[in-house]
Amino acid sequence: MQLQHLIDDCYEVFASYPPPRVLDASPARDPVAIVKTLTSVPLRELTGEQLDPYAGWAMTTVGDAADYKHFLPRILELAVFDRRWHGLDPPIIAGKMNYGGWQTWPPEEQTVVGALFAGACRHGFEQHPDEFDPCGWLCGIAIIGGNLDAALEAWLSSASPNAVLQLVDFFRNNAEQLIGDRSDGNFCGGAGDAAIASMRRWLLSEKMLDLLLAAKVRVEDQWRLDHALLVLNAVTP
């Protein structure tokens, strides 16, 4: 699986960061207990339940960027395959990376992580919306300043029938937050005005309208498409 290869690349590039023996932490945390949990099994065997609390606290109240980099490959792997945990949400991960000085990380680290975010997006476009949501990964790309335009174009250009269903779900869940006076600033928080503007242009593009009008979906998914067209009509100036 291509996505697993991208994850394996992350393990390889970040392998030089050792597991922490101690963690600096705020008085509200128990760093001894956190280290005990995080080192109780090999990195690749850590579960979402074990890693999620640390992933949410990392760098702000527990540990530093080097500690986070040790755990980042497993955090990313769980974000792809076990999406139940808040600290493992792609936008949270992207925000943590920014907090940890992402733009100053060595090029090889930026390359493998950027490739994984892009790969997870592409993988998500090809899955049914009930099985995988690529929007978190798209937001992550926007937050870390990745190639957002390429990801958006890849979505519109995907040959997978599920890509259309993912688009119509994007309208159902996010369009009204993104466009015009309806935007409440909660979508892709931390992405920046330029990234949000790019997504707005993409959402209202003629190519998007043409794709939705020409879309053919299964009968049981027709309601998704109908709703997307209603939303597009409502938000189009």
Side-chain angles (χ1 to χ4, degrees):
M1 180 181 183
Q2 177 65 21
L3 200 50
Q4 186 61 57
H5 290 321
L6 295 173
I7 292 168
D8 291 341
D9 288 344
C10 290
Y11 276 108
E12 181 178 350
V13 166
F14 288 94
S16 61
Y17 295 94
R21 296 183 177 180
V22 296
L23 287 169
D24 290 330
S26 81
R29 309 298 177 208
D30 184 345
V32 174
I34 295 169
V35 170
K36 183 177 180 180
T37 297
L38 294 179
T39 58
S40 61
V41 295
L43 178 61
R44 287 186 182 236
E45 296 178 15
L46 283 170
T47 65
E49 184 176 7
Q50 292 171 312
L51 198 49
D52 177 60
Y54 164 76
W57 299 331
M59 293 180 284
T60 50
T61 59
V62 176
D64 58 21
D67 300 322
Y68 190 70
K69 288 182 180 184
H70 169 75
F71 295 106
L72 182 57
R74 184 56 176 164
I75 288 172
L76 291 167
E77 185 171 29
L78 288 169
V80 171
F81 296 115
D82 186 4
R83 297 176 291 278
R84 297 172 294 166
W85 310 98
H86 177 71
L88 308 180
D89 282 345
I92 299 295
I93 298 169
K96 290 291 182 182
M97 287 162 45
N98 278 350
Y99 188 88
W102 158 256
Q103 299 297 338
T104 67
W105 289 11
E108 62 271 20
E109 295 177 6
Q110 294 190 34
T111 296
V112 295
V113 174
L116 178 56
F117 271 80
C121 268
R122 292 193 302 270
H123 172 78
F125 303 155
E126 298 174 357
Q127 312 307 309
H128 192 278
D130 294 341
E131 299 172 357
F132 195 99
D133 181 7
C135 292
W137 295 99
L138 187 71
C139 284
I141 291 172
I143 291 167
I144 63 175
N147 194 339
L148 179 62
D149 288 339
L152 295 173
E153 179 58 30
W155 197 347
L156 284 183
S157 301
S158 174
S160 171
N162 283 330
V164 173
L165 294 180
Q166 291 285 5
L167 282 171
V168 299
D169 255 36
F170 188 89
F171 273 92
R172 182 164 65 96
N173 297 321
N174 302 304
E176 292 183 274
Q177 292 186 37
L178 269 173
I179 297 175
D181 294 336
R182 296 176 179 83
S183 178
D184 58 13
N186 291 330
F187 181 70
C188 279
D193 292 343
I196 296 299
S198 290
M199 280 189 271
R200 285 173 173 160
R201 289 192 298 270
W202 168 78
L203 202 61
L204 297 175
S205 67
E206 289 188 15
K207 188 173 182 178
M208 175 72 76
L209 177 60
D210 291 345
L211 188 152
L212 294 179
L213 289 174
K216 296 179 180 179
V217 298
R218 299 175 302 178
V219 172
E220 60 267 34
D221 290 313
Q222 184 63 46
W223 67 271
R224 298 176 190 263
L225 179 58
D226 291 343
H227 183 82
L229 290 169
L230 286 172
V231 172
L232 182 58
N233 182 66
V235 300
T236 300

